[in-house]
Amino acid sequence: MNAIISASELADALRSERPPVLLDVRWQLSTAAASGQPFDGRAAYASGHIPGAVFVDLDRELASAPGPRGRHPLPDLDVFGAAMRRAGVSAGTPVVAYDGGIGWAAARAWWLLRWTGHPDVRVLDGGLPAWDGPLETEASAPAEGDFVPKPTEGAVLDADGAAALARSGVLLDARAGERYRGEVEPIDPVGGHIPGALSAPTSDNVDADGRFRPAAELRARFGELGATRDVPVGVYCGSGVSAAHEVLALEVAGIPAALYVGSWSEWTSDQERPVAVGPDPQ
């Protein structure tokens, strides 16, 4: 099953006998918009969302509180499970997640559901800007779902696992190239990358419209970095959000990958961990 869905396909699915549960996961990396006001995903949802969608709070329901494990560590499974059931997610219902267009937050929801055992989850390609159907402002209140998260083995990396994978397989750094090289670091205390990791910014996963590049192009892109189905692949970013987008792109390309959820924000919380700078992986 394809991990992404187009707006026209979603419109057809919503008219079907088995419509998907919709998760609105609008979120921004920056805590403040250009106006200086913090971005409010819930307010954005209230101003207009795809009919039937339920708002999901990335910071509170798709992650735990920031700390030594990173800015967006794994959520408490009871909290995550309750949020999914509140949204109407059941084990046998299809789910579609969308955000404001960049795809990172929706991919985080997709990854968490897949990691915890839901078999039928997709991301709206291009997010809400790709949707040309009606919007509604009234909050949706679907019937309670029955989904109970059960994590699967092998999909999550810790710091030691990421370091080992950088030596034995392929570890991709999904942040912007200048952060990878250590030229600038706007969020974390130290710039650079995990030694051995390869720069693979998420911006190269999509076209100018914010939609994923074709699977063949993505396979070629990742293949040039040595990431194929024949080697173990892992991804990290700043805090495990944009890296989920990279895992999704790899899924579209047919390449399974693990996610280092703690990512650079966890890695740099321990000053004993090595840091590489510049374009050279080492």
Side-chain angles (χ1 to χ4, degrees), residues 3-16:
I4 56 176
I5 184 172
S6 69
S8 61
E9 290 170 333
L10 175 58
D12 290 341
L14 291 172
R15 291 190 293 265
S16 72

Side-chain angles (χ1 to χ4, degrees), residues 107-215:
R108 172 79 174 210
W110 167 85
W111 180 84
L112 279 167
L113 279 165
R114 288 291 301 273
W115 171 60
T116 54
H118 199 293
D120 190 352
V121 190
R122 288 181 283 180
V123 167
L124 175 58
D125 196 15
L128 190 61
W131 175 256
D132 58 4
L135 299 176
E136 66 180 15
T137 56
E138 184 176 350
S140 303
E144 184 89 356
D146 63 15
F147 178 70
V148 177
K150 297 178 181 178
T152 54
E153 297 290 335
V156 179
L157 294 170
D158 60 13
D160 291 340
L165 187 59
R167 297 187 298 269
S168 64
V170 175
L171 182 65
L172 301 178
D173 184 318
R175 298 171 302 158
E178 57 268 25
R179 292 182 69 190
Y180 170 88
R181 295 188 295 271
E183 297 166 357
V184 61
E185 181 44 64
I187 304 172
D188 295 307
V190 179
H193 57 271
I194 297 173
L198 302 171
S199 180
T202 54
S203 57
D204 291 341
N205 294 333
V206 298
D207 61 21
D209 293 327
R211 293 177 173 84
F212 280 95
R213 293 162 58 184

Side-chain angles (χ1 to χ4, degrees), residues 68-71 173 175 179-182 184-195 197 235-240 243 260-270 273-277:
R69 294 185 300 133
R71 286 193 307 280
D173 184 318
R175 298 171 302 158
R179 292 182 69 190
Y180 170 88
R181 295 188 295 271
V184 61
E185 181 44 64
I187 304 172
D188 295 307
V190 179
H193 57 271
I194 297 173
V235 188
Y236 75 95
C237 58
S239 65
Y260 174 24
V261 179
S263 284
W264 191 244
S265 57
E266 180 191 39
W267 184 269
T268 56
S269 69
D270 182 347
R273 294 190 182 110
V275 170
V277 296

